[in-house]
Amino acid sequence: MKMSLRLLADETVPFVEEARGLYDIQPTWKDEADFMEFQKWLDESLPKGGTLNERFENWQKSLEISVDKAKELLPFITDTLRELAHKKFDLPEEESFNVEFVHDQPWMAYNQYLGEYKSQIEINADLPMQIDSLMITIAHEGYPGHHTELAIKDAKLIRQKGWREHFVTLLNSPWGVIAEGIATTALETLLTDQELEDFYREELLPRAKMKQVNVRTMLEINRAEWRIRELWGNAAFLLHDQKKSADEIVSYLKKYALSSEEEARRTIEFISGPLDRTYIFTYTAGYKLLKELFSRADRNKYFARLLSEPVTPNQIRTWISTGSA
Ligand SMILES: [Zn+2]
């Protein structure tokens, strides 16, 4: 809260201090060596022909679906994930969400909790949509991601305990790290690698008439997505800390993150927003923190705790370091 007030008062705060003050995390510059290893793997795995950037772009294009097809597949994806989420977690029976495709937004998708266990999920229809990103988005925003967390916290914290301060969702706060950690690990919490692979191969891809897709490669790239997000964090360092020009950052993102020109410009637009410039770190910080927690503790038990208790990143670090998890 203090950091928010300092920023609102137009105080110039060093970038890393802002992230620490708002989110209880310590962002650092990430060595590109990890990404180069991922690029090497991609080079060996993607269909041949052209530069690696072109091949990666072609790969993504091969997974693209129209908005109409996305709308057609949505009920099936949503029902599947809803059933799994209700089995594992204590979701109120009457919960539901509505999905709408919108235009002119800087983000890919957004969940707004409306109260009464209902959410509105908006998906950016201006950006190309891929079959895998549709699945990941519904897990991230809906089951068992943002909508699930907010519906369960509504039931447990507001209605059962009467903690009315939870009517307010403070996005730019340590909660953001927990929320994005939950959302970025949501899909792998519902389905094991093998179950997910089978689901794509036997259910979703045949329905989408995309049986030709190499499911293993697609899932391997999905699992490396957080590495690309770490590069977006580096881009934020380049922009705000090292004061590099947009053109220099575009070249950086093309070279390391294999972004297209358009994607790179969009990333820069996102990290230029005063509220998003440090929010960009919540995704990878949350993801890595929860992955570490789940490697030491019963995943379902702790995921359920995070869905129903107010927890800060520092609390999780303490659980990990004291071995109480
Ligand atoms: Zn999110």
Side-chain angles (χ1 to χ4, degrees), residues 57-70:
E57 216 177 311
N58 287 340
W59 167 262
Q60 286 170 318
K61 281 212 179 94
S62 75
L63 300 179
E64 260 174 40
I65 53 173
S66 65
V67 169
D68 283 342
K69 194 179 245 188

Side-chain angles (χ1 to χ4, degrees), residues 109-111 140-141 146 176 179-181 183-184 229 279 282-283:
Y110 192 86
N111 174 71
H140 182 116
E141 307 293 343
H146 296 317
E180 297 305 347
T184 50
R229 283 204 159 131
Y279 194 83
T282 62
Y283 301 98

Side-chain angles (χ1 to χ4, degrees), residues 180-198:
E180 297 305 347
I182 288 171
T184 50
T185 57
L187 188 55
E188 60 178 63
T189 297
L190 283 192
L191 293 161
T192 63
D193 290 354
Q194 188 59 53
E195 285 166 344
L196 188 59
E197 192 179 321
D198 293 345

Side-chain angles (χ1 to χ4, degrees), residues 4-52:
S4 295
L5 290 172
R6 285 172 64 189
L7 295 169
L8 284 170
D10 276 335
E11 193 183 316
T12 308
V13 180
F15 182 57
V16 171
E17 195 184 329
E18 176 185 323
R20 194 169 43 222
L22 287 178
Y23 300 109
D24 183 21
I25 54 171
Q26 180 77 30
T28 52
W29 176 268
K30 295 292 179 295
D31 192 332
E32 290 89 359
D34 286 346
F35 307 113
M36 297 321 280
E37 214 167 287
F38 173 59
Q39 283 200 13
K40 206 176 132 211
W41 175 85
L42 269 182
D43 189 31
E44 288 157 11
S45 310
L46 291 180
K48 306 285 174 235
T51 65
L52 190 55

Side-chain angles (χ1 to χ4, degrees), residues 43 58 107 145 176 214 295 297:
D43 189 31
N58 287 340
W107 33 254
N214 184 331
S295 74

Side-chain angles (χ1 to χ4, degrees), residues 49-97:
T51 65
L52 190 55
N53 281 70
E54 286 164 356
R55 290 162 65 201
F56 192 46
E57 216 177 311
N58 287 340
W59 167 262
Q60 286 170 318
K61 281 212 179 94
S62 75
L63 300 179
E64 260 174 40
I65 53 173
S66 65
V67 169
D68 283 342
K69 194 179 245 188
K71 283 181 182 164
E72 196 186 303
L73 294 170
L74 263 175
F76 175 65
I77 293 176
T78 305
D79 289 349
T80 304
L81 296 182
R82 175 187 287 130
E83 202 186 316
L84 291 166
H86 273 266
K87 258 186 216 157
K88 276 195 186 212
F89 305 111
D90 205 4
L91 262 163
E93 260 329 299
E94 59 271 51
E95 63 74 28
S96 69
F97 59 75

